[in-house]
Structures are given as structure tokens and as C-alpha cells.
């Protein structure tokens, strides 16, 4: 008679880590269902759960270490042992360090995959290289640096509160696709009378539910923000008490806001003036929760900076920051977790201070450089009892073009070894053609992932990653989570899959890298948990099975210091950004390509292009290998307004070309009356696992990949080095060929 086990754990098919139950029959994973008792997700489960068993047993999974036999991209591999792979990689790392210095090693990672990010950060901090980042850079580095400079933390963990939040401002976000747990909470709040405002050029699912929808021209969020500030100040509906007692720089903000009356902002944003005024009143009539969004991190150049800055000012002068029902300042991880000591941030900070080198893009983006690390972090420590910002890497993460130029040209100094761990830079970053050339040029390229992706296909070594089903876990969210559940390893790892920590701990031991490196991932969790006096296993088997940081509202009033800024004030003209050489009260600037900034270019490329919105059932580039999910959404879609489609001769469901000055790709047209006239949205992250692996196919990465025709030039990125995914220009026209999986689509190399 068969025996069924019901194993509770946290799902990692996206970053939310909902509680789930694995149904295991005689050692075989049969299905995965939501955990109704989970304190975070409360029984919610999405359609991805139907694919968990297929994901675990997929014939396309990487199961053994592989070593390249032919040229990069030839798809010629030999199976080797972990021992051989680790020995050879370690020997090459030591040789590179001895000749070029520790900074000649770099790394990128993807969205959260358990220990992949923090274990590599630990290695790099102890090794002595600042040239590592993950895709969170383009999700949050601009927001993070602006908000930390203004009020000493970010609002990424903030959510509305049932029965308290009066209004929700959803600015450039669509949680039904990207954050279902928050969407569930938003709907619950709305059922109790909370009002919803949505700012989006698309009639997204959440926009359709809004009490007020502002259909903005992509890339003009900074102008809209200044328009709202103008109304708040001119009408005197800001929080005067909070501003007078806790803010500095208000006079500078008020003076600049005079330049942005609603009528002028309406011309820029194409949002009617009366709606701008209405938005301002929603912001002021709190408690109002402002959703933390990615949009401003994707607008590049001055457009992104103005967007992030003005949104932070609005949260502040309306008194909604650090207020119940408004935006919480979540603060550091639990005192029971030695996060800072485990990662070794201070070791890297000291190395940089004693080195004549900085991260490779510091010259172009001084906000993210070694001179700024303590400028950001020391005031944060004063406000939080000596604990710094958890994801301190956001204060120096390199820009992706900086990494590319260091690999490709050796400027400002060479990167000779590079790691890609659960990431896919050929898909996730603009300038994909430059990434292609750079990855082919380094001396050592190592990948670790679940599947053979276009980026993995260029590696020298490809290592099989164990998933959340095959490893113990503690939820850490880059050191920013205040809720830290622990789970025992659900099932043994299949074949020769290894957890991500294993790679870095083994390389540390083999290269003589300093620090304590427990042999197992669970041992590393135990090291982090030493302040708690408990082991990871003890917490995982307890009820409750999580740690929870002490949190309070009005923290700035009770901590004895104020906000985590140099002055202890909420600095509306941040001195930290001024120290970096930036205008602390930035004007709105048009996107790098726009009808006003580049009118000649707009004549040839008349449509505004936005991209990068998440699309279920996928998670960024992940899970196109899974048939259980793939049938639900088989091709990338270019969403276009019916009027634009008619004028261009475009038919719904047919192929179209999307062209920019950097080339063209193909997607299927989706005609949608809710899409803003003159604007199109292209899906990102697409490749086709069913296409050939070898060059020039690379699983069709050049056929539909919108990031292969978007720029990554330094001058197109914002002050933190974030890339321009939105608010660019393009033209669209019919394509007479359908997607053909055997068609060769080769890249045109950028100069």
C-alpha cells in the first residue's frame, strides 16, 4: 500500500514564496497545493503550482556538470564530475586573481532563487570584488538610492492595511501579474471602502478595477510627480506639521514645483489636468499607501530620477511615510539573524576603501561607488541601532554596460572571469547584443541554473542547480525581509544537482578565500542564526516556524536619532545625492528617445515603446520549458491600440516587426482598446527552448527579444545606472512570416 507524505515548504516559482504542500507518494512528487495555514499566503496558490511536478522531473533539467568541448555557443559538451569542475574553476580563479586582481571576477544573478544571491555576495565580499549584481538592480536600485538618501530606508515592503488605509496609489504596477498576494490584499481593502488609483498607459487588470485611472505617456512619470507636488503645495493640502518638524529642503521643492502647474504637466504627460489635481487629493487624503513600483527604475536618464524623486517627495510631504495605513519603513532583519556578519559587507567596504579600484561603472554613476557606501549606510545605522541597510550592495552595484565594457574592452580594468547564476543576461538586460559579445570574450564563464538557457549556452562550465524542492530554506529577501520562515529540505536532490551555496563554499575553500564556510547550506543558516541560540532545523520544526523582526510605526520619532539620513531629517533635497554630484531637487527630463527630446528620431520611429511588464504564467525568463504552463501563453505579444493598428495595416494575431534604431524583432500583434493611442507594449524575456541551442540560434533569442534592440549606453541610464526599458521609440509594421522554430535569426553586433 502506497504511503503519501504531505510536506510543507515555501514555493520559489516566483519571488513571493507562498506556503505550499508537496504531495509525495512513495518518494515521488505527485502534486503541489497551497498551504491554507501559511501565515503569509493564507492558502493562495497560482497556476504555476500545477507545473511543480513537471518542473522537478523535467527531461530538460540540467542534472550533471558540463564542460564546453568546442567553441563557445557550439552546443558541444562533455559530462564531468563536480570535483573536476570545481578544481578547474578554482585554479583559473586563482590565476586570474594573481595576474589581474580580485576585482577581475564578476557575477550576475536573476530573481530570487534561494541562496544564489546571498551566497555569491558572501564570496565576493570575502574575495574582494565589487563587480557583482543581480536583476534586482533594475528592479530597485534607483528607488533604493533615492529613498535611502531622502528618509533612510526604502518602501519596498510596504503594503496597505485593512481597515486603516483610505487610498491606494498603484503607480506603474499591476499586481495581478506580478504580486498576487498584494492584489489579494488590495481587493480586500477595496471591499472595505479603500479607493484605488492606477497610473498606467495600459488598461491592465488592476486599472480596470480603479476608481481613478491615469493613462500616462510612458516615461513622463517625473513630470506627473511634479504636477502633484505643485497641487499639494499650491492648495496647501500637504502635511504642514510633518514638513515643519521633520523635513528639510521644502523651500527648494516648493520653488521648483512652481514650474509644473497641472496645465503644463498635462501637455507633457497627456493626462488631463483635472485628473492630476484629483490624484493629488487622493495622495493628501490619507492614510494613503503608495505601491513600490519598478516603472521609474526603467525610464533611464533624467526621466527615471525625476520619477523616483517626486514619488518619494509625495509620500513624505503628505505625511504618509512611516505612518499606519501609509508606507511603513520596514527596517532591518531580525536581531536573531547575523546578516551583516554572515555576508561580510564590512570586509568589502574596507577592501574598497584601501584599494585604488572601484566598481567598474563608478566613474559614470558616482551615486553607486565606493565613496557613497558609508555616506548612505552610516546614517542608516544611527537610526537602526547600529544595523545598516540589508541589501547594501545596492549602494555600489555596477551598471550592466560597465560589466560588459570591462569584459569586452578591459575598461576601466578587465573582468576576466564571470559567473551567471540563475540569471539570463541575454534576455533580461538591454544591450543584449553587447552582452553576447562580452560573454564570448571572457577567459572563464561559469553558469549555474535549472535549464540550458541562451546565456548558459555560451558558458565554459554549466552546473546543475537544485531547486527549492531539493534544499533547506530560510527566507531572507536580500537581507530586507522582516519575516523569515525556515523549512527543512523537502526531498533529496535528484541526480547531481547542488544548491547554490555549495558552489561558493567549495570555491572559497579551494581558493583559500577567508571566512568561515560551513560545509552545508543548513550549516550556513546555523551560522547566521547564532544570535538566536537556535539552529535552522529547530526553527523549521517549531510552531511558528519563522522569525519576525520587531517593527514600529513612527520609528523616526522614537529611535532617538530620526530618519536614517545625515541630518536625521526627511531630506527633500538629499545631501547624500548632492555629495555624489547630483542635483538633489531634479527637474523632469524627457526620456533619451522621445518626440520632444529627439524629434528627428521620432519622425522615423513615431510610436512610444514600453516593455518589461510581467506576464503569467511565467516569471521573467523562467518556465518556458514547461508544457503545463507554455500552452497558456505560447508567443510574445505586441499590444497596440486598434486605431494605431488600422493605420498601420496590422491584424490581430498576425506577426509584426518592432523596429528601433538598433534593429528589429518580431512578435504577435494583440489589438487592445485599452492600450494608449500612440503607445505599444512589447513583451520581454522570450526565448524558445524548442529551437536549436547552437549559434546562431541560441534558442531563438534574437527573434523576439525586445531587449536586443534597446540601448544600454551610459548616457541612456539613470543616475544609479538602471536601464531604459520604457518610454523609448519604435515603429511597427506587418511581417509576412510566422514564428518558425527552425529559422536562423542572428544578431547584428553593435559597435
Amino acid at each position: 500500500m502506497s504511503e503519501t507524505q504531505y510536506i510543507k515548504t515555501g514555493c520559489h516559482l516566483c519571488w513571493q514564496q507562498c506556503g505550499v504542500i508537496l504531495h509525495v507518494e512513495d518518494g515521488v512528487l505527485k502534486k503541489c497545493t497551497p498551504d491554507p495555514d501559511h501565515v503569509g499566503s493564507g492558502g493562495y496558490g497560482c497556476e504555476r503550482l500545477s507545473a511543480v511536478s513537471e518542473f522537478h522531473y523535467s527531461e530538460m533539467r540540467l542534472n550533471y556538470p558540463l564542460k564546453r568541448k568546442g567553441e563557445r555557443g557550439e552546443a558541444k559538451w562533455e559530462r564531468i564530475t563536480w570535483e573536476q569542475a570545481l578544481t578547474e574553476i578554482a585554479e583559473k580563479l586563482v590565476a586570474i586573481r594573481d595576474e589581474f586582481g580580485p576585482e577581475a571576477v564578476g557575477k550576475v544573478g536573476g530573481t530570487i532563487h534561494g541562496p544564489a544571491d546571498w551566497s555569491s555576495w558572501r564570496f565576493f565580499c570575502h574575495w574582494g570584488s565589487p563587480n557583482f549584481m543581480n536583476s534586482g538592480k533594475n528592479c530597485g536600485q534607483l528607488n533604493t538610492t533615492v529613498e535611502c538618501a531622502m528618509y533612510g530606508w526604502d518602501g519596498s515592503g510596504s503594503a496597505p492595511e485593512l481597515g486603516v488605509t483610505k487610498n491606494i496609489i498603484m503607480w506603474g504596477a499591476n499586481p495581478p501579474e506580478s504580486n498576487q498576494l498584494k492584489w489579494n490584499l488590495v481587493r480586500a481593502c477595496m471591499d472595505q471602502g479603500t479607493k484605488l488609483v492606477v497610473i498606467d498607459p495600459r488598461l491592465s487588470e488592476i486599472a480596470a478595477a480603479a476608481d481613478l485611472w491615469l493613462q500616462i505617456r510612458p516615461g513622463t512619470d517625473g513630470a506627473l510627480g511634479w504636477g502633484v507636488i505643485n497641487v499639494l503645495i499650491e492648495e496647501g493640502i500637504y502635511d504642514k506639521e510633518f514638513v515643519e518638524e521633520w523635513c528639510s529642503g521644502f523651500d527648494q521643492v516648493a520653488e521648483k514645483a512652481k514650474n509644473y502647474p497641472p496645465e503644463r504637466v498635462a501637455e507633457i504627460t497627456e493626462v488631463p489636468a483635472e485628473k492630476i489635481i484629483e490624484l493629488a487629493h487622493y495622495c493628501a487624503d490619507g492614510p494613503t499607501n503608495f505601491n513600490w513600483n519598478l516603472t521609474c527604475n526603467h525610464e533611464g536618464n533624467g526621466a527615471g530620477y525625476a520619477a523616483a524623486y517626486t514619488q518619494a517627495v509625495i509620500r513624505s510631504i503628505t505625511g504618509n511615510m512611516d505612518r499606519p495605513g501609509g508606507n511603513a519603513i520596514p527596517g532591518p532583519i531580525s536581531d536573531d539573524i547575523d546578516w551583516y556578519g554572515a555576508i561580510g559587507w564590512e570586509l568589502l567596504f574596507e577592501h574598497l576603501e584601501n584599494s585604488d579600484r572601484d566598481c567598474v561603472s563608478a566613474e559614470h554613476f558616482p551615486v553607486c561607488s565606493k565613496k557613497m557606501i558609508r555616506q548612505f549606510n552610516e546614517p542608516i545605522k544611527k537610526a537602526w541601532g547600529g544595523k545598516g541597510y540589508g541589501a547594501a550592495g545596492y549602494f555600489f552595484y555596477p551598471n550592466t554596460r560597465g560589466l560588459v565594457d570591462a569584459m569586452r574592452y578591459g575598461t576601466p580594468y578587465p573582468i576576466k572571469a564571470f559567473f551567471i547564476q540563475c540569471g539570463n543576461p541575454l534576455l533580461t538586460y538591454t544591450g543584449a547584443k553587447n552582452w553576447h559579445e562580452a560573454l564570448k570574450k571572457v577567459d572563464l564563464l561559469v553558469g549555474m541554473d535549472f535549464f540550458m538557457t541562451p546565456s548558459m549556452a555560451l558558458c565554459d562550465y554549466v552546473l546543475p542547480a537544485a531547486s527549492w524542492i531539493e534544499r533547506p530554506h530560510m527566507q531572507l529577501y536580500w537581507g530586507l525581509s522582516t519575516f523569515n520562515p525556515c523549512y527543512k529540505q523537502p526531498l533529496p536532490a535528484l541526480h547531481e544537482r547542488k544548491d547554490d551555496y555549495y558552489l561558493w563554499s567549495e570555491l572559497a575553500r579551494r581558493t583559500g578565500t577567508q571566512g568561515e564556510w560551513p560545509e552545508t547550506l543548513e550549516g550556513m543558516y546555523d551560522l547566521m542564526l547564532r544570535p538566536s541560540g537556535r539552529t535552522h532545523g529547530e526553527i523549521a520544526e517549531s510552531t511558528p516556524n519563522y522569525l519576525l523582526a520587531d517593527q514600529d510605526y513612527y520609528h523616526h520619532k522614537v529611535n532617538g536619532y530620526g530618519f536614517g539620513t545625515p541630518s536625521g531629517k526627511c531630506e527633500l533635497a538629499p545631501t547624500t545625492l548632492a555629495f555624489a554630484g547630483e542635483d538633489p531637487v531634479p527637474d523632469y527630463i524627457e526620456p533619451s528617445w522621445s518626440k520632444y527630446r529627439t524629434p528627428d528620431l521620432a519622425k522615423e520611429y513615431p510610436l512610444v515603446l514600453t516593455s518589461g511588464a510581467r506576464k503569467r504564467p511565467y516569471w521573467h525568463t523562467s518556465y518556458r520549458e514547461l508544457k503545463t504552463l507554455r500552452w497558456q501563453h505560447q508567443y510574445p505579444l505586441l499590444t497596440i491600440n486598434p486605431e494605431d493598428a488600422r493605420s498601420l495595416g496590422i491584424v490581430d494575431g498576425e506577426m509584426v516587426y518592432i523596429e528601433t534604431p538598433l534593429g528589429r524583432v518580431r512578435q504577435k500583434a494583440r489589438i487592445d482598446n485599452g492600450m494608449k493611442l500612440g503607445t505599444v507594449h512589447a513583451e520581454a524575456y522570450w526565448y524558445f527552448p524548442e529551437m536549436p541551442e547552437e549559434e546562431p540560434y541560441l534558442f531563438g533569442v534574437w527573434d523576439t527579444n525586445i531587449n536586443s534592440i534597446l540601448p544600454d549606453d551610459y548616457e541612456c541610464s539613470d543616475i544609479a545606472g538602471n536601464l531604459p526599458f520604457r518610454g523609448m521609440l519604435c515603429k511597427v509594421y506587418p511581417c509576412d512570416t510566422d514564428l518558425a522554430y527552425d529559422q536562423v535569426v542572428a544578431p547584428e553586433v553593435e559597435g
Side-chain angles (χ1 to χ4, degrees):
M1 185 174 180
S2 63
E3 179 183 356
T4 300
Q5 294 177 280
Y6 302 96
I7 303 172
K8 293 189 175 186
T9 189
C11 174
H12 272 73
L13 292 179
C14 78
W15 68 274
Q16 294 179 88
Q17 300 182 39
C18 298
V20 296
I21 300 173
L22 302 179
H23 298 241
V24 180
E25 186 176 320
D26 294 334
V28 178
L29 176 59
K30 293 294 187 179
K31 66 177 180 177
C32 179
T33 57
D35 180 2
D37 301 321
H38 190 268
V39 68
S41 54
Y44 173 79
C46 73
E47 70 276 21
R48 299 184 188 105
L49 297 189
S50 65
V52 168
S53 180
E54 182 188 357
F55 169 71
H56 186 54
Y57 296 112
S58 172
E59 294 180 357
M60 300 182 77
R61 282 286 297 270
L62 293 167
N63 292 320
Y64 305 98
L66 301 174
K67 181 179 179 180
R68 172 173 62 84
K69 289 182 67 177
E71 297 297 316
R72 282 197 180 121
E74 280 193 334
K76 296 179 180 178
W77 304 97
E78 64 174 318
R79 176 179 164 182
I80 61 174
T81 64
W82 271 98
E83 176 65 25
Q84 180 183 344
L86 292 167
T87 298
E88 293 179 4
I89 293 168
E91 288 175 351
K92 292 174 182 179
L93 286 178
V94 170
I96 287 169
R97 179 183 60 190
D98 291 347
E99 182 174 358
F100 299 101
E103 302 88 354
V105 180
K107 185 254 180 182
V108 294
T111 304
I112 190 165
H113 283 275
D117 283 329
W118 65 254
S119 58
S120 65
W121 296 354
R122 175 174 169 79
F123 178 87
F124 276 77
C125 285
H126 287 75
W127 174 269
S129 174
N131 295 315
F132 59 92
M133 56 158 281
N134 72 343
S135 292
K137 176 183 179 65
N138 290 302
C139 286
Q141 186 153 0
L142 178 62
N143 271 340
T144 296
T145 51
V146 170
E147 293 188 66
C148 286
M150 190 174 294
Y151 37 77
W153 207 268
D154 72 83
S156 62
S158 184
E161 292 184 61
L162 282 168
V164 182
T165 299
K166 189 172 183 179
N167 303 304
I168 298 170
I169 310 296
M170 201 61 66
W171 199 320
N174 186 31
E177 293 284 357
S178 62
N179 190 336
Q180 297 92 341
L181 295 185
K182 181 169 284 188
W183 176 223
N184 294 342
L185 179 56
V186 168
R187 287 189 298 177
C189 288
M190 293 176 70
D191 288 342
Q192 295 188 359
T194 301
K195 299 299 182 182
L196 174 66
V197 178
V198 174
I199 302 157
D200 200 315
R202 305 176 302 147
L203 185 60
S204 61
E205 185 175 344
I206 198 166
D211 296 282
L212 175 65
W213 174 38
L214 287 74
Q215 197 173 29
I216 191 171
R217 174 166 69 94
T220 64
D221 301 84
L224 179 61
W226 272 118
V228 170
I229 295 168
N230 174 284
V231 174
L232 293 170
I233 295 175
E234 290 298 317
E235 294 191 15
I237 54 175
Y238 62 94
D239 189 330
K240 298 180 183 64
E241 181 180 346
F242 178 79
V243 168
E244 290 173 5
E245 183 177 359
W246 286 103
C247 294
S248 64
F250 179 76
D251 291 343
Q252 292 169 260
V253 172
E255 185 62 30
K256 186 153 287 187
K258 293 177 182 177
N259 299 325
Y260 296 92
E263 295 73 21
R264 182 194 173 207
V265 171
E267 294 177 0
I268 298 170
T269 62
E270 299 174 6
V271 173
E274 58 270 21
K275 285 195 173 185
I276 297 170
I277 295 169
E278 192 175 358
L279 169 60
H281 282 261
Y282 274 108
C283 294
D285 186 22
T288 298
N289 175 261
F290 298 83
N291 185 70
W292 193 84
N293 67 82
L294 309 187
T295 301
C296 56
N297 295 274
H298 294 169
E299 294 177 349
N301 201 266
Y305 180 24
Y309 171 81
T310 54
Q311 290 172 34
V313 169
I314 294 167
R315 295 186 193 105
S316 300
I317 67 173
T318 55
N320 283 298
M321 183 53 62
D322 203 12
R323 172 190 182 184
N327 280 63
I329 297 181
I333 202 167
S334 168
D335 289 337
D336 286 331
I337 302 172
D338 181 19
W339 171 258
Y340 247 71
I343 300 303
W345 289 124
E346 289 296 329
L347 291 173
L348 183 58
F349 298 168
E350 292 170 7
H351 171 81
L352 290 171
E353 289 173 342
N354 295 322
S355 171
D356 60 356
R357 286 181 170 177
D358 210 326
C359 83
V360 288
S361 58
E363 179 184 353
H364 299 277
F365 307 103
V367 166
C368 300
S369 65
K370 67 181 182 182
K371 81 170 186 176
M372 297 303 299
I373 293 170
R374 298 199 189 278
Q375 192 74 12
F376 276 108
N377 220 33
E378 293 307 312
I380 292 174
K381 289 182 179 180
K382 292 176 182 177
W384 295 98
K387 290 196 288 185
Y389 188 74
Y394 277 120
F395 301 145
F396 59 81
Y397 278 159
N399 159 268
T400 59
R401 182 60 180 264
L403 292 171
V404 163
D405 284 354
M407 288 188 279
R408 195 173 177 186
Y409 306 117
T411 57
Y413 56 82
I415 288 180
K416 293 292 186 177
F418 203 73
F419 290 80
I420 306 170
Q421 192 171 28
C422 290
N424 202 347
L426 290 186
L427 274 296
T428 52
Y429 307 133
T430 64
K433 297 167 188 173
N434 285 331
W435 269 100
H436 177 253
E437 294 303 306
L439 294 177
K440 294 184 75 171
K441 191 158 185 184
V442 290
D443 293 349
L444 173 66
L445 185 61
V446 180
M448 186 172 185
D449 213 324
F450 304 131
F451 297 97
M452 183 66 77
T453 68
S455 300
M456 292 294 104
L458 297 178
C459 290
D460 302 311
Y461 299 87
V462 174
L463 307 174
S467 79
W468 51 279
I469 302 167
E470 305 165 300
R471 63 187 180 216
H473 178 58
M474 179 164 65
Q475 180 175 303
L476 293 164
Y477 280 138
W478 307 291
L480 297 176
S481 178
T482 55
F483 169 61
N484 310 106
C486 296
Y487 302 99
K488 298 285 286 184
Q489 181 170 322
L491 293 173
L494 295 177
H495 309 291
E496 294 182 16
R497 303 172 188 171
K498 301 287 187 181
D499 64 71
D500 306 280
Y501 170 77
Y502 176 81
L503 169 65
W504 299 106
S505 62
E506 283 296 317
L507 290 180
R509 278 189 281 273
R510 292 163 189 263
T511 58
T513 301
Q514 61 179 316
E516 183 178 355
W517 294 89
E519 289 190 7
T520 65
L521 174 57
E522 189 164 4
M524 186 63 215
Y525 287 139
D526 290 343
L527 186 153
M528 292 184 182
L529 290 166
R530 283 176 183 171
S532 74
R534 295 195 288 169
T535 66
H536 173 270
E538 289 170 345
I539 297 172
E541 293 172 353
S542 300
T543 302
N545 67 328
Y546 57 83
L547 302 173
L548 192 64
D550 293 331
Q551 289 185 279
D552 52 30
Y553 286 106
Y554 305 117
H555 181 78
H556 63 282
K557 292 185 177 182
V558 301
N559 66 14
Y561 179 78
F563 289 97
T565 64
S567 66
K569 298 281 189 179
C570 177
E571 297 188 358
L572 304 178
T575 56
T576 298
L577 299 181
F579 180 78
E582 301 295 340
D583 182 351
V585 186
D587 267 304
Y588 165 71
I589 299 175
E590 283 282 311
S592 298
W593 298 349
S594 84
K595 62 183 179 180
Y596 297 121
R597 189 168 179 177
T598 55
D600 290 340
L601 192 66
K603 291 177 183 177
E604 185 175 357
Y605 301 96
L607 294 172
V608 180
L609 169 64
T610 186
S611 72
R614 294 180 179 128
K615 182 64 182 176
R616 290 165 64 179
Y618 307 114
W619 184 250
H620 299 157
T621 71
S622 299
Y623 312 133
R624 285 165 179 81
E625 292 84 359
L626 305 180
K627 295 178 181 178
T628 307
L629 301 180
R630 180 68 181 277
W631 71 268
Q632 300 176 42
H633 189 62
Q634 298 183 43
Y635 307 105
L637 302 179
L638 185 283
T639 306
I640 186 169
N641 181 279
E643 190 173 328
D644 288 323
R646 279 193 296 270
S647 68
L648 296 169
I650 289 171
V651 177
D652 188 68
E654 293 191 352
M655 293 298 297
V656 295
Y657 281 118
I658 312 158
E659 184 175 328
T660 76
L662 301 181
R664 68 182 187 180
V665 294
R666 301 182 300 161
Q667 296 192 4
K668 282 186 177 288
R670 174 180 178 266
I671 298 176
D672 184 349
N673 194 50
M675 190 72 219
K676 181 175 174 59
L677 185 66
T679 298
V680 295
H681 176 270
E683 287 188 10
Y685 316 126
W686 273 88
Y687 69 99
F688 300 89
E690 57 268 43
M691 286 188 71
E693 173 189 338
E694 67 270 13
E695 295 260 35
Y697 300 92
L698 287 181
F699 303 114
V701 71
W702 308 118
D703 196 351
T704 64
N705 178 13
I706 197 68
N707 286 334
S708 69
I709 59 170
L710 290 176
D712 66 344
D713 304 316
Y714 295 115
E715 59 268 23
C716 290
S717 299
D718 63 45
I719 64 167
N722 291 52
L723 299 170
F725 298 95
R726 306 175 193 245
M728 306 305 282
L729 294 175
C730 72
K731 60 183 175 183
V732 177
Y733 48 95
C735 173
D736 58 5
T737 59
D738 205 345
L739 281 173
Y741 298 144
D742 60 349
Q743 181 174 346
V744 176
V745 181
E748 298 174 5
V749 179
E750 260 186 271

